[in-house]
Amino acid sequence: MPVLRHRLFGLRELVDDLAFRAPARLAVTVFACVIVLFAALLLTPFATADGRGASLVDALFTAVSAVCVTGLVVQDTATYWSAWGQVVILAGIKVGGFGIMTVASLLGMIVSRKIGLTQKLLTASETKTSRLGDVGSLVRVIIITATTLELSIALLLFPRFVVIENNVGTAAWHALFYGISAFNNAGFVPTVEGLTPHVGDWTLVLPLVLGVFVGALGFPVILNIQRAWPRPGQRWRGWTKKLSLHSKLTIVTSVVLLVVGALLLLVLEWSNPRTFGPLGLGDKVLASLFAGVMPRSGGFSTVDIGAMHESSWLIQDALMFVGGGSASTAGGIKVTTLAVMLLAIVAEARGDRDIEAFGRRIPRDVLRLSIAVVFTGASIVLVSCVALLQVTHLGLSQVLFEVLSAFATVGLTTGITQDLPDAGKYILALLMFVGRTGAVTVVAVLALRDRRRIVRFPEERPIIG
Amino acid sequence: MPVLRHRLFGLRELVDDLAFRAPARLAVTVFACVIVLFAALLLTPFATADGRGASLVDALFTAVSAVCVTGLVVQDTATYWSAWGQVVILAGIKVGGFGIMTVASLLGMIVSRKIGLTQKLLTASETKTSRLGDVGSLVRVIIITATTLELSIALLLFPRFVVIENNVGTAAWHALFYGISAFNNAGFVPTVEGLTPHVGDWTLVLPLVLGVFVGALGFPVILNIQRAWPRPGQRWRGWTKKLSLHSKLTIVTSVVLLVVGALLLLVLEWSNPRTFGPLGLGDKVLASLFAGVMPRSGGFSTVDIGAMHESSWLIQDALMFVGGGSASTAGGIKVTTLAVMLLAIVAEARGDRDIEAFGRRIPRDVLRLSIAVVFTGASIVLVSCVALLQVTHLGLSQVLFEVLSAFATVGLTTGITQDLPDAGKYILALLMFVGRTGAVTVVAVLALRDRRRIVRFPEERPIIG
Ligand SMILES: [K+]
Ligand SMILES: [K+]
């Protein structure tokens, strides 16, 4: 054991060192290499059902979509790819999801050490939230926790799939695929018709909603809940007080977004004959709950997104842009970023000196980082929309939906993905990659210099608004 | 003179007092009353060319559009309204433009005194930028400056209109209308075909571009330039150093947006047979310059906006959202708001402690106000888009363009305004009103309480991005 411990420590040192010196470059390089590997695997002839092999653009797009846990597909997962191809895709999701949680957890820690007010942050990183420093044990905990949660969802889904498929083997494969796909917010489906036939089936819908929601909280939150959760014999009262500010912000914002999103979609689609219209009251609620959680960023759908009103698309656009929790498999600008902006506005309107939440004061430089993330994200989306509008003849509503779906690695679509020209597929693939490696990484790349001025300039106030 | 001086001082005291106690309510009330007055004038039967009078929704929409200097029209200005109706519209523009510059200048000063970190701001308001406190002289200076600039533009346009109209009276009327419309960024045109036939006519295009650009800088900047401008005999060297940070930020950001916007539109529309395609090189440049400055927020057009690519619409959407200078007749979130956000991101990426520009440090609470303005603006646009999508059968691209045009009081349209259902017209009218009275006002309304905590909470850092 001492030898293993020593080797683990050496690896840990190496990764920690590399990650600290150039975290962004490390993350981007690792992801690019993994994607190339999986694209190569999908290019093998026996990866497709017809044995003739996929085109380069389709293999690359699918590899990016799997490793970046997006779920946008240019070829139907269930019919185009062979069993081997589907295993490759599922492996891509597992590797990608694990990589994202690990790298993002590390990056979250390291970037907050490096970016901006370094000295102040170094002190802050000594606090509980950021103490994920032990790389070796972090990796182990992530693997165990993620696999346990994936298998739990698969187990919840399994009995229903036995009834549907009437075959234990197929049922187990589908349950496992959906379990991994849900927890990793991957959005890939192994069945031809997807989930549309099961819109009112709560034995399928609820485990998937739960899996996607928990996966989108992000690993720091899951770990934090795990630690705060009362052990047998401990008192339940006040256990939530042990949660970090980050966990509380993430959970509360996620729940609010879920409820608001579901309610808005329920109202807007209530009488749409092609979506919620024909459903009974219970099924309507179930379908809106499902549609409310999936934009952040599960990517499954039980109703045809393409048949929804454009106003519903716009609601989902907003939800997709926000995305899920930090260091989760969900994309977007992240819920804490939104929360910090909202809290800043509340503080501004109240005339408070500090941005406050749950009896804690949020450091001012966090706001600057939030703005950088939102602004970078919005700029990427804008440029991508212009580019995609140029290479296609589609309207803005569909293009914006597709761009946000790729940027936030959601995987929902109004149905245009498969018919895009190759240029459009490459744009989306690049966008998934950029969206996945994250706006924070973009900022981290910029944060090479760490200047400190001794002399401060005199203060002067511009007029705003 | 002492009596007049005393009475002026009394008025000044009253307005200052009212404006300080409830600036937002004052601005909103005054604007609403002025709009109702002008709507009533436009409802008179002889305000329309056919003498049968306008409908309530058309009169109200036109009054809002004129007083809020937007330029969106549901009825053709040149043919539907009588000469008297056109005079009412022009008066609405003049009153609205003057009111906006005055109230916004006052609000800019008072809100920055009241919102947020009151004590810090009170000190800051003693500095040069915010010292517009003398209401009486401010009003006088604004009237004289605005009228002088409007007449200058009219004079520049007059010779060309004499040639076009072949009638001195009509030429003078059109030159005056365009002069006032341009400086106030109103976007109303008194001629049936608008400016489309004059796309390559630099004797018309350049004065209009100049008028819109200067008007969109905002009164604080115009006043600042006026004061810094070297008197006869003074040296020119280094006169720009006398400009305030606000002026420098506004001018530089405006120029950058103009150049970038014009270049992007030039590239995207270069070969569009229905817009820039048939034009020669010189005309192409002139047309792109015109199209680049008008989204912030002149509202004139020399080419058919409806015939442009959707990607060009998106570029203009972004420019419209940003808008013009603070306390100007231009709408949007304002160029300084964008500049502060960008500078914050640069500071974040560089690892600087302070947000800096032109050798000045920008106070941190300015960033919080910027975020509030941007977030409020984006939320209003999002809600309006959903509402307009619900009441029409239009696509997002046209709806978003129209909503941003109304919100930022730009007045450009893809051609859908006249065919909107009444509900759509009311939504746009409300949006123009909200956009005009400004995101800052929304924040000011919220800023009723001015709490100061003595006890500060302990600091804790959430993960961002
Ligand atoms: K996804
Ligand atoms: K305008």
Side-chain angles (χ1 to χ4, degrees), chain A residues 29 62-63 84 86 143 149 160 172 262 279 325 367 428 437 447 457:
Chain A
T29 312
T62 308
W84 161 243
Q86 292 179 33
I143 290 181
L149 288 170
R160 185 67 192 130
L279 303 178
L367 186 59
L428 285 187
T437 48
F457 288 131

Side-chain angles (χ1 to χ4, degrees), chain A residues 115 121 245 310-311 336 348 350 352-354 361 368 390 396 451 456-458 460-461 463, chain B residues 115 121 245 310-311 336 348 352 354 360-361 368 390 396 451 453 456-458 460-461 463:
Chain A
I115 281 184
L121 289 171
L245 173 64
E310 292 205 13
S311 46
T336 38
E348 185 63 36
R350 278 184 174 173
D352 287 351
R353 182 175 47 171
D354 298 323
R361 171 159 52 90
R368 252 171 42 173
Q390 280 297 106
L396 179 63
R451 306 188 316 163
R456 295 181 88 182
F457 288 131
E460 191 175 333
R461 175 178 302 276
I463 310 173
Chain B
I115 280 185
L121 289 172
L245 174 64
E310 293 205 11
S311 45
T336 38
E348 186 62 36
D352 287 350
D354 299 323
R360 288 286 182 281
R361 173 160 51 91
R368 251 169 44 172
Q390 280 297 107
L396 178 63
R451 305 188 316 164
R453 267 185 205 284
R456 296 181 86 183
F457 287 131
E460 191 175 333
R461 176 177 303 274
I463 309 173

Side-chain angles (χ1 to χ4, degrees), chain A residues 69-71 185-187 297-299 409-411:
Chain A
V69 292
T70 306
N185 274 251
S297 59
T409 65
V410 175

